[in-house]
């Protein structure tokens, strides 16, 4: 990581450092790829809801993909236009639905036949018409970690593709609902384009069938999931947006007037963020040497939860320092509180700063106060 350590002086560790320039460059690349195409990018705000980041993304004219009432409120607060706030989630509460209707959000992504009745009832009570999209579970294997794959028949997400006609009939029977789109999302950290190509084929078959029955959809939402390079954040700081949009636009049958939506989270914010932590001490065990840092799984849970690996760097060490092998661990009382085993780092000492890279997505938002630890701080520059 190339950074002037002076900007970290006086900042209490651990904290998330966000590189504003990289975030802006990432947003500019997305804008370049979609320019001239009927595409609306919704930022999946669950990836990072830091208010400053939300404001920056909103200022680029993106919409927001939300999964809770509080996320809808945060998106409104940050300046995302209500009509481009889409609200998904398998278990929206009555209170959350009512709040979102009051905000006049652009669309509810409906995840079950049961939910159709609930949203219709609340909208009718308020004398409003709610725009809805049906989230279809397309039975596609995204070939990613089983905790973050969502498009298989066994997942809790979406309406099973075999129930589509029943769902369409249920929505169109309610005067308080307006069917405006179809929604799909097959998983996260997807690193090849093949699952997206298969998704497009499946969507084409569905929209063709619906059009045959006289149902036109204004929006086709292909979801998010574009992966990033966790191993080489400096070589690949910006995700393959070109590959992603070329695949979608090259394979999806888009009718004139139709808009393609996507919900990118990780690929927008992951690489601009690093978790900066201080070495508390270096412990010599019998067989291993441990670098014990002041950040733990409460600050960044991805390694413990998904066995994810983020690149670890000692950013204080001199470039000429000798290398040594360490396990880099946090202070939390769990054996899973490990950021890396057998990491080859410059010789490390108490007080050195450690950067855990590619942590801008699902880092800060998944932090907890386990062990009564403070939440990590933030610095955006
Ligand atoms: N749309 C829907 C319906 C989603 O469920 C998700 C992510 C996204 C969009 C955004 O996906 P992205 O572009 O960020 O891959 N905590 C996990 C990731 C969970 C993803 C949940 N859904 C992780 O740290 O890897």
């Amino acid at each position: 990581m190339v950074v002037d350590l002076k900007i970290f002086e006086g900042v209490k560790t651990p904290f998330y450092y966000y590189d504003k320039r990289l975030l802006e460059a990432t947003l500019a690349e997305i804008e370049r790829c979609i320019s001239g195409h009927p595409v609306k990018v919704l930022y999946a705000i669950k990836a990072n809801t830091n208010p400053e980041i939300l404001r920056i993304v909103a200022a680029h004219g993106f919409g927001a993909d939300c999964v809770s009432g509080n996320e809808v409120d945060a998106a409104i607060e940050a300046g995302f236009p209500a009509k481009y706030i889409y609200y998904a989630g398998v278990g929206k509460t009555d209170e959350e639905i009512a709040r979102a209707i009051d905000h006049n959000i652009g669309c509810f992504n409906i995840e079950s036949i049961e939910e159709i009745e609930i949203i219709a009832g609340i909208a009718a009570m308020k004398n409003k018409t709610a725009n809805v999209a049906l989230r279809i579970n397309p039975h596609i294997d995204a070939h990613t970690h089983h905790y973050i794959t969502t498009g298989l028949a066994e997942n809790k997400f979406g309406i099973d593709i075999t129930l589509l006609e029943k769902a369409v009939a249920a929505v169109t029977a309610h005067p308080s609902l307006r069917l405006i789109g179809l929604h799909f999302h097959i998983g996260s950290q997807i690193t090849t384009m093949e699952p997206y190509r298969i998704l497009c084929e499946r969507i084409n078959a569905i929209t063709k069938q619906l059009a045959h029955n006289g149902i036109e959809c204004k929006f086709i939402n292909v979801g998010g999931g574009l992966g990033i390079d966790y191993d080489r954040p400096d070589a690949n700081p910006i995700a393959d947006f070109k590959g992603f949009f070329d695949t979608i636009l090259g394979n999806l049958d888009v009718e004139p007037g139709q808009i393609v939506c996507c919900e990118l989270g990780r690929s927008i914010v992951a690489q601009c963020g690093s978790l900066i932590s201080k070495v508390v001490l270096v412990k010599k065990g019998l067989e291993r040497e441990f670098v014990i840092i002041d950040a733990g799984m409460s600050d960044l849970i991805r390694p413990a939860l998904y066995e994810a690996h983020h690149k670890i760097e000692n950013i204080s060490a001199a470039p000429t320092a000798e290398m040594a092998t360490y396990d880099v661990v946090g202070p939390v009382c769990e054996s899973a509180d490990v950021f890396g085993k057998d990491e080859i780092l410059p010789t490390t000492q108490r007080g050195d700063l450690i950067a855990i890279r590619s942590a801008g997505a699902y880092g800060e938002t998944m932090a907890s106060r386990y062990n009564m630890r403070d939440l990590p701080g933030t610095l955006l520059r």
Side-chain angles (χ1 to χ4, degrees):
M1 177 160 114
V2 187
V3 65
D4 181 356
L5 290 187
K6 280 206 194 94
I7 66 168
F8 296 161
E9 269 169 22
V11 187
K12 183 173 176 281
T13 54
F15 62 92
Y16 278 94
Y17 160 62
Y18 300 114
D19 177 346
K20 191 173 167 187
R21 257 197 294 177
L22 180 53
L23 176 59
E24 290 284 0
T26 305
L27 295 168
E29 169 65 4
I30 296 173
E31 284 168 332
R32 195 182 68 78
C33 292
I34 64 173
S35 162
H37 296 288
V39 173
K40 186 80 196 172
V41 178
L42 310 169
Y43 166 50
I45 79 169
K46 65 174 86 69
N48 193 314
T49 45
N50 182 292
E52 283 185 90
I53 290 191
L54 290 184
R55 277 196 293 273
I56 291 171
V57 180
H60 280 258
F62 287 40
D65 160 47
C66 300
V67 288
S68 72
N70 290 345
E71 281 196 358
V72 171
D73 289 349
I76 298 266
E77 178 94 347
F80 288 95
K83 73 170 180 173
Y84 287 121
I85 294 179
Y86 285 23
Y87 179 15
V90 295
K92 309 173 189 79
T93 66
D94 292 9
E95 186 270 330
E96 288 177 308
I97 293 167
R99 245 157 79 195
I101 291 177
D102 290 342
H103 281 307
N104 292 314
I105 64 156
C107 189
F108 286 89
N109 292 336
I110 293 193
E111 304 243 7
S112 60
I113 302 228
E114 292 74 7
E115 199 184 18
I116 296 172
E117 303 301 320
I118 299 171
I119 297 180
I122 298 172
M125 231 159 41
K126 290 178 173 287
N127 275 326
K128 291 221 178 165
T129 309
N131 289 334
V132 302
L134 293 171
R135 175 168 179 182
I136 309 300
N137 184 331
H139 300 183
I140 290 175
D141 191 345
H143 300 291
T144 182
H145 190 281
H146 61 283
Y147 276 14
I148 51 176
T149 189
T150 49
L152 294 172
E154 71 214 40
N155 295 131
K156 69 178 175 181
F157 298 100
I159 297 169
D160 197 87
I161 199 164
T162 55
L163 298 172
L164 176 60
E165 286 196 13
K166 196 173 163 199
V168 170
V171 170
T172 46
H174 282 290
S176 60
L177 301 181
R178 186 185 300 120
L179 181 63
I180 63 163
L182 294 178
H183 175 220
F184 303 83
H185 173 75
I186 53 175
S188 198
Q189 183 55 14
I190 298 170
T191 49
T192 64
M193 295 304 153
E194 187 59 8
Y196 289 116
R197 196 191 58 72
I198 297 170
L199 173 65
C200 289
E201 276 179 4
R202 208 141 301 173
I203 296 175
N204 291 341
I206 294 170
T207 48
K208 199 166 160 196
Q209 179 64 33
L210 287 180
H212 184 72
N213 297 338
I215 311 275
E216 298 286 347
C217 292
K218 198 165 156 223
F219 293 100
I220 302 172
N221 184 341
V222 298
L226 177 62
I228 61 134
D229 191 342
Y230 280 99
D231 297 326
R232 299 186 308 149
D234 292 317
N236 293 311
I238 296 184
D240 184 14
F241 296 111
K242 184 170 177 346
F244 174 76
F245 287 111
D246 282 355
T247 304
I248 301 294
L249 292 167
N251 289 286
L252 200 62
D253 296 338
V254 185
E255 297 298 323
Q258 239 174 7
I259 294 176
V260 180
C261 293
C262 62
E263 306 165 335
L264 301 173
R266 183 190 320 265
S267 52
I268 295 180
V269 286
Q271 296 294 29
C272 78
S274 298
L275 178 60
I276 308 296
S277 172
K278 195 177 274 176
V279 176
V280 178
L281 55 91
V282 180
K283 172 176 172 177
K284 283 198 196 323
L286 279 184
E287 285 171 10
R288 316 188 74 85
E289 223 172 320
F290 297 96
V291 168
I292 302 181
I293 61 178
D294 63 3
M297 62 190 280
S298 56
D299 305 294
L300 177 67
I301 201 174
R302 301 194 69 260
L305 190 57
Y306 314 115
E307 295 175 320
H309 184 261
H310 291 245
K311 186 162 191 252
I312 301 174
E313 287 172 7
N314 181 332
I315 53 175
S316 304
T320 50
E322 266 183 51
M323 304 304 270
T325 304
Y326 302 102
D327 285 3
V328 179
V329 302
V332 171
C333 293
E334 296 274 347
S335 306
D337 189 24
V338 175
F339 290 108
K341 280 194 177 334
D342 296 322
E343 295 283 334
I344 299 172
L345 294 176
T347 312
T348 296
Q349 295 164 8
R350 169 177 164 80
D352 284 354
L353 286 182
I354 299 290
I356 302 178
R357 305 289 306 277
S358 315
Y362 307 108
E364 195 185 337
T365 47
M366 292 181 81
S368 76
R369 294 213 50 210
Y370 185 42
N371 285 190
M372 280 189 86
R373 289 168 51 76
D374 289 333
L375 288 172
T378 60
L379 175 75
L380 184 131
R381 277 288 158 81

